[in-house]
């Protein structure tokens, strides 16, 4: 009688080495992808703030065209187009445009940063202290009709400033 060798058991799972290699590969891919993902999320929030500042530029010019007056408060701008915050239409503090408002979503705060008669400059600053370089600054000169909008980038590692704007030499 011939004896058959014992059957080998079939492997039903992964070995410890295979599982560890998989975890290491996933960790390496995550360490590359997550920073890019978080930067892209912040850029998306920045683009939303830039869109809002572009609306402010248009609203200021529209108010000036319609009433032949320069807007002095958030309530003035709300007469042309509603400027929204988390708590409803903007009417912060005394209502002055220099009073800071927070845009919906609590990601950016905005105020008029350079006060001159026919020159309006708005700065949107990220409420996230780790994303200060993602600020947005916009200007509109009612005398000439010039306007500009600049966004800070992570490449510069510095927030964009008034010096970056082209409508800063607005005649009175």
């Amino acid at each position: 009688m011939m004896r058959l060798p014992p059957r080998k058991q079939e492997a039903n799972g992964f070995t410890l080495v295979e599982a560890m290699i998989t975890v290491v590969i996933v960790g390496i891919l995550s360490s590359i992808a997550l920073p890019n993902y978080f930067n892209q999320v912040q850029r998306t929030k920045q683009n939303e703030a830039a869109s809002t500042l572009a609306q402010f530029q248009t609203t200021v010019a529209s108010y000036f065209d319609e009433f032949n007056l320069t807007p002095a408060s958030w309530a003035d701008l709300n007469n042309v187009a509603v400027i929204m915050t988390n708590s409803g239409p903007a009417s912060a503090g005394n209502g002055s445009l220099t009073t800071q408002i927070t845009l919906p979503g609590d990601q950016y705060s905005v105020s008029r940063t350079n006060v001159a008669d026919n020159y309006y400059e708005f700065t949107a600053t990220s409420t996230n202290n780790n994303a200060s370089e993602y600020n947005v600054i916009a200007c509109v000169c009612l005398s000439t009709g010039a306007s500009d909008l600049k966004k800070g980038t992570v490449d510069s590692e510095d927030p964009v400033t008034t010096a970056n704007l082209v409508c800063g030499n607005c005649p009175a």
Side-chain angles (χ1 to χ4, degrees):
M1 193 175 225
M2 181 191 244
R3 272 190 136 185
L4 295 173
R7 283 187 162 177
K8 291 186 179 178
Q9 282 188 320
E10 293 181 24
N12 290 330
F14 297 107
T15 66
L16 181 60
V17 173
E18 290 170 332
M20 286 176 49
I21 289 173
T22 303
V23 168
V24 167
I25 290 171
V26 168
I28 291 170
L29 292 175
S30 296
S31 69
I32 294 169
L34 282 178
N36 291 332
Y37 170 75
F38 290 128
N39 284 338
Q40 188 60 41
V41 167
Q42 190 60 43
R43 277 189 231 121
T44 301
K45 293 174 186 175
Q46 182 189 41
N47 286 334
E48 182 180 358
S51 174
T52 301
L53 290 190
Q55 175 195 355
F56 287 3
Q57 290 173 312
T58 304
T59 304
V60 166
S62 297
Y63 184 89
F64 183 72
D65 288 344
E66 188 170 331
F67 299 107
N68 201 26
L69 297 169
T70 55
S73 68
W74 294 111
D76 289 346
L77 293 182
N78 282 328
N79 287 331
V80 175
V82 178
I83 308 297
M84 291 303 293
T85 67
N86 277 343
S87 58
S91 60
N94 62 4
S96 168
L97 292 174
T98 56
T99 304
Q100 195 171 61
I101 63 168
T102 302
L103 298 179
D106 291 325
Q107 299 300 321
Y108 278 84
S109 58
V110 177
S111 66
R112 182 178 178 195
T113 49
N114 188 332
V115 181
D117 286 339
N118 289 326
Y119 179 73
Y120 284 77
E121 181 180 290
F122 294 98
T123 302
T125 309
S126 177
T127 55
N128 179 353
N129 293 334
N130 297 329
S132 63
E133 69 273 9
Y134 287 103
N135 72 326
V136 183
I137 191 166
C139 65
V140 61
C141 177
L142 297 177
S143 301
T144 63
S147 65
D148 195 13
L149 186 139
K150 299 285 186 202
K151 298 186 283 186
T153 63
V154 73
D155 299 334
S156 69
E157 295 184 6
D158 289 322
V160 68
T161 63
T162 301
N164 301 108
L165 296 172
V166 296
C167 57
N169 297 329
C170 184

